[in-house]
mmCIF file with all atom_site columns, all heavy atoms in Angstrom:
data_model
loop_
_atom_site.group_PDB
_atom_site.id
_atom_site.type_symbol
_atom_site.label_atom_id
_atom_site.label_alt_id
_atom_site.label_comp_id
_atom_site.label_asym_id
_atom_site.label_entity_id
_atom_site.label_seq_id
_atom_site.pdbx_PDB_ins_code
_atom_site.Cartn_x
_atom_site.Cartn_y
_atom_site.Cartn_z
_atom_site.occupancy
_atom_site.B_iso_or_equiv
_atom_site.pdbx_formal_charge
_atom_site.auth_seq_id
_atom_site.auth_comp_id
_atom_site.auth_asym_id
_atom_site.auth_atom_id
_atom_site.pdbx_PDB_model_num
ATOM 1   N N   . MET A 1 25 ? -33.160 15.921 -48.202 1.00 0.00 ? 955 MET A N   1
ATOM 2   C CA  . MET A 1 25 ? -33.754 15.290 -47.016 1.00 0.00 ? 955 MET A CA  1
ATOM 3   C C   . MET A 1 25 ? -33.780 13.771 -47.173 1.00 0.00 ? 955 MET A C   1
ATOM 4   O O   . MET A 1 25 ? -34.041 13.251 -48.259 1.00 0.00 ? 955 MET A O   1
ATOM 5   C CB  . MET A 1 25 ? -35.173 15.806 -46.788 1.00 0.00 ? 955 MET A CB  1
ATOM 6   C CG  . MET A 1 25 ? -35.761 15.319 -45.472 1.00 0.00 ? 955 MET A CG  1
ATOM 7   S SD  . MET A 1 25 ? -37.366 16.039 -45.134 1.00 0.00 ? 955 MET A SD  1
ATOM 8   C CE  . MET A 1 25 ? -38.409 15.012 -46.139 1.00 0.00 ? 955 MET A CE  1
ATOM 9   N N   . PHE A 1 26 ? -33.513 13.092 -46.064 1.00 0.00 ? 956 PHE A N   1
ATOM 10  C CA  . PHE A 1 26 ? -33.582 11.637 -46.069 1.00 0.00 ? 956 PHE A CA  1
ATOM 11  C C   . PHE A 1 26 ? -34.032 11.128 -44.717 1.00 0.00 ? 956 PHE A C   1
ATOM 12  O O   . PHE A 1 26 ? -33.996 11.844 -43.711 1.00 0.00 ? 956 PHE A O   1
ATOM 13  C CB  . PHE A 1 26 ? -32.228 11.016 -46.465 1.00 0.00 ? 956 PHE A CB  1
ATOM 14  C CG  . PHE A 1 26 ? -31.086 11.360 -45.552 1.00 0.00 ? 956 PHE A CG  1
ATOM 15  C CD1 . PHE A 1 26 ? -30.763 10.571 -44.460 1.00 0.00 ? 956 PHE A CD1 1
ATOM 16  C CD2 . PHE A 1 26 ? -30.303 12.490 -45.800 1.00 0.00 ? 956 PHE A CD2 1
ATOM 17  C CE1 . PHE A 1 26 ? -29.690 10.884 -43.632 1.00 0.00 ? 956 PHE A CE1 1
ATOM 18  C CE2 . PHE A 1 26 ? -29.230 12.817 -44.978 1.00 0.00 ? 956 PHE A CE2 1
ATOM 19  C CZ  . PHE A 1 26 ? -28.928 12.014 -43.891 1.00 0.00 ? 956 PHE A CZ  1
ATOM 20  N N   . LEU A 1 27 ? -34.493 9.896  -44.727 1.00 0.00 ? 957 LEU A N   1
ATOM 21  C CA  . LEU A 1 27 ? -34.879 9.199  -43.510 1.00 0.00 ? 957 LEU A CA  1
ATOM 22  C C   . LEU A 1 27 ? -33.770 8.208  -43.205 1.00 0.00 ? 957 LEU A C   1
ATOM 23  O O   . LEU A 1 27 ? -33.447 7.348  -44.043 1.00 0.00 ? 957 LEU A O   1
ATOM 24  C CB  . LEU A 1 27 ? -36.211 8.473  -43.702 1.00 0.00 ? 957 LEU A CB  1
ATOM 25  C CG  . LEU A 1 27 ? -36.781 7.797  -42.463 1.00 0.00 ? 957 LEU A CG  1
ATOM 26  C CD1 . LEU A 1 27 ? -37.239 8.845  -41.451 1.00 0.00 ? 957 LEU A CD1 1
ATOM 27  C CD2 . LEU A 1 27 ? -37.950 6.902  -42.841 1.00 0.00 ? 957 LEU A CD2 1
ATOM 28  N N   . LEU A 1 28 ? -33.164 8.339  -42.045 1.00 0.00 ? 958 LEU A N   1
ATOM 29  C CA  . LEU A 1 28 ? -32.099 7.428  -41.630 1.00 0.00 ? 958 LEU A CA  1
ATOM 30  C C   . LEU A 1 28 ? -32.730 6.353  -40.747 1.00 0.00 ? 958 LEU A C   1
ATOM 31  O O   . LEU A 1 28 ? -33.292 6.663  -39.693 1.00 0.00 ? 958 LEU A O   1
ATOM 32  C CB  . LEU A 1 28 ? -31.024 8.182  -40.849 1.00 0.00 ? 958 LEU A CB  1
ATOM 33  C CG  . LEU A 1 28 ? -29.904 7.342  -40.252 1.00 0.00 ? 958 LEU A CG  1
ATOM 34  C CD1 . LEU A 1 28 ? -29.044 6.740  -41.362 1.00 0.00 ? 958 LEU A CD1 1
ATOM 35  C CD2 . LEU A 1 28 ? -29.044 8.178  -39.312 1.00 0.00 ? 958 LEU A CD2 1
ATOM 36  N N   . VAL A 1 29 ? -32.674 5.127  -41.199 1.00 0.00 ? 959 VAL A N   1
ATOM 37  C CA  . VAL A 1 29 ? -33.146 4.001  -40.389 1.00 0.00 ? 959 VAL A CA  1
ATOM 38  C C   . VAL A 1 29 ? -31.908 3.414  -39.742 1.00 0.00 ? 959 VAL A C   1
ATOM 39  O O   . VAL A 1 29 ? -31.017 2.903  -40.423 1.00 0.00 ? 959 VAL A O   1
ATOM 40  C CB  . VAL A 1 29 ? -33.900 2.948  -41.231 1.00 0.00 ? 959 VAL A CB  1
ATOM 41  C CG1 . VAL A 1 29 ? -34.360 1.787  -40.349 1.00 0.00 ? 959 VAL A CG1 1
ATOM 42  C CG2 . VAL A 1 29 ? -35.086 3.588  -41.944 1.00 0.00 ? 959 VAL A CG2 1
ATOM 43  N N   . THR A 1 30 ? -31.824 3.528  -38.419 1.00 0.00 ? 960 THR A N   1
ATOM 44  C CA  . THR A 1 30 ? -30.628 3.096  -37.699 1.00 0.00 ? 960 THR A CA  1
ATOM 45  C C   . THR A 1 30 ? -30.603 1.580  -37.527 1.00 0.00 ? 960 THR A C   1
ATOM 46  O O   . THR A 1 30 ? -31.604 0.901  -37.782 1.00 0.00 ? 960 THR A O   1
ATOM 47  C CB  . THR A 1 30 ? -30.557 3.766  -36.307 1.00 0.00 ? 960 THR A CB  1
ATOM 48  O OG1 . THR A 1 30 ? -31.639 3.271  -35.506 1.00 0.00 ? 960 THR A OG1 1
ATOM 49  C CG2 . THR A 1 30 ? -30.622 5.279  -36.413 1.00 0.00 ? 960 THR A CG2 1
ATOM 50  N N   . ALA A 1 31 ? -29.492 1.082  -37.043 1.00 0.00 ? 961 ALA A N   1
ATOM 51  C CA  . ALA A 1 31 ? -29.338 -0.350 -36.793 1.00 0.00 ? 961 ALA A CA  1
ATOM 52  C C   . ALA A 1 31 ? -30.349 -0.840 -35.765 1.00 0.00 ? 961 ALA A C   1
ATOM 53  O O   . ALA A 1 31 ? -30.743 -2.007 -35.776 1.00 0.00 ? 961 ALA A O   1
ATOM 54  C CB  . ALA A 1 31 ? -27.917 -0.649 -36.329 1.00 0.00 ? 961 ALA A CB  1
ATOM 55  N N   . THR A 1 32 ? -30.794 0.047  -34.880 1.00 0.00 ? 962 THR A N   1
ATOM 56  C CA  . THR A 1 32 ? -31.769 -0.337 -33.851 1.00 0.00 ? 962 THR A CA  1
ATOM 57  C C   . THR A 1 32 ? -33.207 -0.187 -34.335 1.00 0.00 ? 962 THR A C   1
ATOM 58  O O   . THR A 1 32 ? -34.142 -0.547 -33.629 1.00 0.00 ? 962 THR A O   1
ATOM 59  C CB  . THR A 1 32 ? -31.578 0.515  -32.580 1.00 0.00 ? 962 THR A CB  1
ATOM 60  O OG1 . THR A 1 32 ? -31.789 1.885  -32.912 1.00 0.00 ? 962 THR A OG1 1
ATOM 61  C CG2 . THR A 1 32 ? -30.204 0.310  -31.979 1.00 0.00 ? 962 THR A CG2 1
ATOM 62  N N   . GLY A 1 33 ? -33.388 0.385  -35.531 1.00 0.00 ? 963 GLY A N   1
ATOM 63  C CA  . GLY A 1 33 ? -34.727 0.518  -36.088 1.00 0.00 ? 963 GLY A CA  1
ATOM 64  C C   . GLY A 1 33 ? -35.345 1.901  -35.964 1.00 0.00 ? 963 GLY A C   1
ATOM 65  O O   . GLY A 1 33 ? -36.454 2.130  -36.445 1.00 0.00 ? 963 GLY A O   1
ATOM 66  N N   . SER A 1 34 ? -34.663 2.844  -35.317 1.00 0.00 ? 964 SER A N   1
ATOM 67  C CA  . SER A 1 34 ? -35.174 4.211  -35.234 1.00 0.00 ? 964 SER A CA  1
ATOM 68  C C   . SER A 1 34 ? -35.194 4.828  -36.616 1.00 0.00 ? 964 SER A C   1
ATOM 69  O O   . SER A 1 34 ? -34.307 4.568  -37.438 1.00 0.00 ? 964 SER A O   1
ATOM 70  C CB  . SER A 1 34 ? -34.289 5.066  -34.317 1.00 0.00 ? 964 SER A CB  1
ATOM 71  O OG  . SER A 1 34 ? -34.362 4.601  -32.999 1.00 0.00 ? 964 SER A OG  1
ATOM 72  N N   . LYS A 1 35 ? -36.199 5.658  -36.858 1.00 0.00 ? 965 LYS A N   1
ATOM 73  C CA  . LYS A 1 35 ? -36.341 6.332  -38.152 1.00 0.00 ? 965 LYS A CA  1
ATOM 74  C C   . LYS A 1 35 ? -36.211 7.832  -37.916 1.00 0.00 ? 965 LYS A C   1
ATOM 75  O O   . LYS A 1 35 ? -37.084 8.451  -37.313 1.00 0.00 ? 965 LYS A O   1
ATOM 76  C CB  . LYS A 1 35 ? -37.690 5.978  -38.779 1.00 0.00 ? 965 LYS A CB  1
ATOM 77  C CG  . LYS A 1 35 ? -37.834 4.490  -39.057 1.00 0.00 ? 965 LYS A CG  1
ATOM 78  C CD  . LYS A 1 35 ? -39.231 4.127  -39.517 1.00 0.00 ? 965 LYS A CD  1
ATOM 79  C CE  . LYS A 1 35 ? -39.335 2.618  -39.732 1.00 0.00 ? 965 LYS A CE  1
ATOM 80  N NZ  . LYS A 1 35 ? -40.704 2.223  -40.098 1.00 0.00 ? 965 LYS A NZ  1
ATOM 81  N N   . LEU A 1 36 ? -35.111 8.396  -38.381 1.00 0.00 ? 966 LEU A N   1
ATOM 82  C CA  . LEU A 1 36 ? -34.756 9.778  -38.069 1.00 0.00 ? 966 LEU A CA  1
ATOM 83  C C   . LEU A 1 36 ? -34.680 10.623 -39.329 1.00 0.00 ? 966 LEU A C   1
ATOM 84  O O   . LEU A 1 36 ? -34.005 10.244 -40.294 1.00 0.00 ? 966 LEU A O   1
ATOM 85  C CB  . LEU A 1 36 ? -33.409 9.809  -37.343 1.00 0.00 ? 966 LEU A CB  1
ATOM 86  C CG  . LEU A 1 36 ? -33.277 8.868  -36.139 1.00 0.00 ? 966 LEU A CG  1
ATOM 87  C CD1 . LEU A 1 36 ? -31.846 8.799  -35.663 1.00 0.00 ? 966 LEU A CD1 1
ATOM 88  C CD2 . LEU A 1 36 ? -34.205 9.314  -35.019 1.00 0.00 ? 966 LEU A CD2 1
ATOM 89  N N   . TRP A 1 37 ? -35.346 11.789 -39.298 1.00 0.00 ? 967 TRP A N   1
ATOM 90  C CA  . TRP A 1 37 ? -35.307 12.710 -40.434 1.00 0.00 ? 967 TRP A CA  1
ATOM 91  C C   . TRP A 1 37 ? -34.047 13.547 -40.390 1.00 0.00 ? 967 TRP A C   1
ATOM 92  O O   . TRP A 1 37 ? -33.693 14.093 -39.343 1.00 0.00 ? 967 TRP A O   1
ATOM 93  C CB  . TRP A 1 37 ? -36.520 13.641 -40.414 1.00 0.00 ? 967 TRP A CB  1
ATOM 94  C CG  . TRP A 1 37 ? -37.810 12.956 -40.679 1.00 0.00 ? 967 TRP A CG  1
ATOM 95  C CD1 . TRP A 1 37 ? -38.837 12.765 -39.798 1.00 0.00 ? 967 TRP A CD1 1
ATOM 96  C CD2 . TRP A 1 37 ? -38.238 12.392 -41.922 1.00 0.00 ? 967 TRP A CD2 1
ATOM 97  N NE1 . TRP A 1 37 ? -39.871 12.108 -40.418 1.00 0.00 ? 967 TRP A NE1 1
ATOM 98  C CE2 . TRP A 1 37 ? -39.528 11.862 -41.718 1.00 0.00 ? 967 TRP A CE2 1
ATOM 99  C CE3 . TRP A 1 37 ? -37.647 12.271 -43.175 1.00 0.00 ? 967 TRP A CE3 1
ATOM 100 C CZ2 . TRP A 1 37 ? -40.237 11.236 -42.730 1.00 0.00 ? 967 TRP A CZ2 1
ATOM 101 C CZ3 . TRP A 1 37 ? -38.354 11.639 -44.179 1.00 0.00 ? 967 TRP A CZ3 1
ATOM 102 C CH2 . TRP A 1 37 ? -39.637 11.130 -43.960 1.00 0.00 ? 967 TRP A CH2 1
ATOM 103 N N   . ARG A 1 38 ? -33.383 13.682 -41.529 1.00 0.00 ? 968 ARG A N   1
ATOM 104 C CA  . ARG A 1 38 ? -32.169 14.482 -41.647 1.00 0.00 ? 968 ARG A CA  1
ATOM 105 C C   . ARG A 1 38 ? -32.223 15.299 -42.930 1.00 0.00 ? 968 ARG A C   1
ATOM 106 O O   . ARG A 1 38 ? -32.857 14.906 -43.912 1.00 0.00 ? 968 ARG A O   1
ATOM 107 C CB  . ARG A 1 38 ? -30.922 13.592 -41.706 1.00 0.00 ? 968 ARG A CB  1
ATOM 108 C CG  . ARG A 1 38 ? -30.715 12.690 -40.500 1.00 0.00 ? 968 ARG A CG  1
ATOM 109 C CD  . ARG A 1 38 ? -30.203 13.486 -39.312 1.00 0.00 ? 968 ARG A CD  1
ATOM 110 N NE  . ARG A 1 38 ? -29.791 12.648 -38.225 1.00 0.00 ? 968 ARG A NE  1
ATOM 111 C CZ  . ARG A 1 38 ? -30.533 12.392 -37.159 1.00 0.00 ? 968 ARG A CZ  1
ATOM 112 N NH1 . ARG A 1 38 ? -31.729 12.888 -37.055 1.00 0.00 ? 968 ARG A NH1 1
ATOM 113 N NH2 . ARG A 1 38 ? -30.074 11.636 -36.192 1.00 0.00 ? 968 ARG A NH2 1
#
Side-chain angles (χ1 to χ4, degrees):
M955 187 175 81
F956 60 91
L957 185 69
L958 175 67
V959 179
T960 67
T962 61
S964 294
K965 298 173 182 176
L966 309 170
W967 292 112
R968 301 284 189 261

